[in-house]
Amino acid sequence: MVQANWTSVTVFFFLGFSHYPKVEVVIFVLCLLMYLTTLLGNTILISITILDSHLHTPMYFFLSNLSFLDIWYTSSALIPMLANFILGKNTISFSGCASQMYFSLAMGSTECVLLSMMAYDRYVAICNPLRYPIIMNRRVCVQIAGSSWLTGCLTALVETGPVLQLSLCGKSIINHFTCEILALLKMACVDTSMVQLIMLVISILLLPLPMLLICVSYAFILSNILRISSVDGRSKAFSTCAAHLTVVVLFYGTALSMYLKPSAVNSQEIDKFMALIYAGLTPMLNPIIYSLRNKEVKMAVKKLLIRNPFNAILTSVLK
């Protein structure tokens, strides 16, 4: 078995979905559609949040952060795979792989923290509406968003650093469609228990704990919703909460099943499809579920489109 250090490896080869040749094209088309939808939906949300003064609120500030994050997150995971498929190759350079691994971890970790902070924002808005402008002032919002980004970037650095120092065995073949840290760990021919321990601690801090905060926040929100006298209002609020929680379960559920599963479980093929869900599907759903269904956002989009008649066709889509 040939050993090599990360620094001596110049190129990695992806196996991707080569084990499923009959569905590779289908997966490519689905990933392309998910990426383009993610790019369009999140770009629209960021644009209208900046241009429409009525959306200069804490909720839309966090949503625009989430949209910016999702564009980077999906791009880091899907663009290399899509490019490789179009160009007919399955390689990535050492620096490209290291960068992709870091950015994917950083964006994913940041989203874990940011989603929990957004749930807290909704809790304060619904359960303490009179104090909401004081509690969630501009300074606090910037601090929350900044701390989310900082936490994600630092934890990714802590995870990526030790992995880049491992010795690799055999050919530089990654059994994945991206430089996923778990797939790279399986290539190591040295003891990885310390790296796995670091990942376990970070995963516990960034997955079950934020998800618990989200569940507690929505429990208080639902208890307040039950006090709404209007049946229509109650039904609408329940529908919104259910949609939000669906996205949360998809994102955290797939990440939990990957990063907190027993080390003895070998499910690399399943992990590939799980990665498509949290790196492709949830970023596509986030702007639709959180924003584009809102009347405020629909009105802002229509105002924006009125200024540009060429895009009027999009108005019918948002009706």
Side-chain angles (χ1 to χ4, degrees):
M1 186 72 71
V2 180
Q3 285 193 21
N5 291 325
W6 267 83
T7 51
S8 65
V9 177
T10 57
V11 177
F12 288 97
F13 299 87
F14 292 124
L15 282 183
F17 296 97
S18 56
H19 293 159
Y20 312 96
K22 294 182 179 179
V23 295
E24 263 194 306
V25 176
V26 176
I27 293 172
F28 167 77
V29 172
L30 289 175
C31 288
L32 181 60
L33 290 174
M34 282 193 297
Y35 179 69
L36 292 176
T37 306
T38 299
L39 198 61
L40 177 63
N42 286 294
T43 302
I44 288 174
L45 182 57
I46 293 171
S47 300
I48 61 174
T49 302
I50 294 172
L51 296 173
D52 195 321
S53 59
H54 295 96
L55 300 183
H56 293 175
T57 63
M59 182 177 79
Y60 290 104
F61 172 75
F62 290 127
L63 285 171
S64 60
N65 269 268
L66 181 65
S67 292
F68 182 74
L69 169 66
D70 280 339
I71 290 173
W72 276 92
Y73 190 22
T74 308
S75 297
S76 66
L78 295 187
I79 281 184
M81 183 190 77
L82 296 172
N84 282 344
F85 188 90
I86 293 171
L87 297 173
K89 64 176 187 176
N90 60 346
T91 60
I92 189 170
S93 65
F94 160 75
S95 58
C97 188
S99 300
Q100 187 182 51
M101 177 170 58
Y102 173 76
F103 280 110
S104 293
L105 284 170
M107 299 302 103
S109 300
T110 302
E111 184 154 349
C112 288
V113 181
L114 189 60
L115 285 174
S116 64
M117 294 297 99
M118 288 169 60
Y120 173 73
D121 171 69
R122 291 298 82 210
Y123 158 73
V124 177
I126 294 172
C127 300
N128 295 283
L130 297 178
R131 298 182 60 199
Y132 179 65
I134 300 173
I135 296 174
M136 300 300 293
N137 59 63
R138 183 174 181 81
R139 181 180 176 183
V140 170
C141 291
V142 171
Q143 288 175 342
I144 289 175
S147 62
S148 299
W149 283 93
L150 183 62
T151 300
C153 292
L154 288 178
T155 53
L157 189 62
V158 171
E159 289 179 293
T160 305
V163 174
L164 295 178
Q165 298 174 20
L166 297 175
S167 296
L168 308 179
C169 287
K171 298 179 181 179
S172 306
I173 299 175
I174 302 173
N175 188 12
H176 213 284
F177 63 87
T178 183
C179 285
E180 164 62 43
I181 190 169
L182 295 177
L184 290 165
L185 280 178
K186 293 184 182 298
M187 298 168 58
C189 50
V190 293
D191 183 23
T192 61
S193 56
M194 181 56 66
V195 178
Q196 290 179 0
L197 178 61
I198 292 171
M199 289 183 60
L200 176 63
V201 173
I202 292 176
S203 296
I204 291 173
L205 292 174
L206 294 181
L207 291 171
L209 290 183
M211 191 172 182
L212 179 62
L213 177 60
I214 292 172
C215 291
V216 170
S217 297
Y218 274 97
F220 281 107
I221 290 170
L222 290 172
S223 68
N224 273 264
I225 290 172
L226 291 173
R227 300 172 192 169
I228 299 174
S229 56
S230 168
V231 176
D232 290 338
R234 203 161 49 230
S235 175
K236 183 180 178 181
F238 271 121
S239 174
T240 302
C241 288
H244 290 185
L245 289 174
T246 299
V247 175
V248 166
V249 169
L250 271 175
F251 179 77
Y252 285 98
T254 51
L256 281 167
S257 66
M258 282 187 61
Y259 292 101
L260 289 180
K261 68 176 183 290
S263 57
V265 177
N266 187 7
S267 57
Q268 282 185 282
E269 297 305 313
I270 297 175
D271 286 352
K272 294 176 190 178
F273 290 97
M274 290 289 189
L276 284 179
I277 293 175
Y278 71 74
L281 183 61
T282 52
M284 180 187 74
L285 293 177
N286 279 339
I288 299 171
I289 297 297
Y290 281 105
S291 306
L292 298 180
R293 294 166 73 242
N294 295 353
K295 287 184 179 179
E296 292 174 321
V297 174
K298 288 181 180 179
M299 289 299 297
V301 172
K302 288 177 181 179
K303 288 179 183 177
L304 185 63
L305 293 177
I306 288 172
R307 299 173 190 172
N308 189 358
F310 180 76
N311 294 322
I313 191 173
L314 291 177
T315 308
S316 60
V317 177
L318 296 169
K319 286 183 180 178

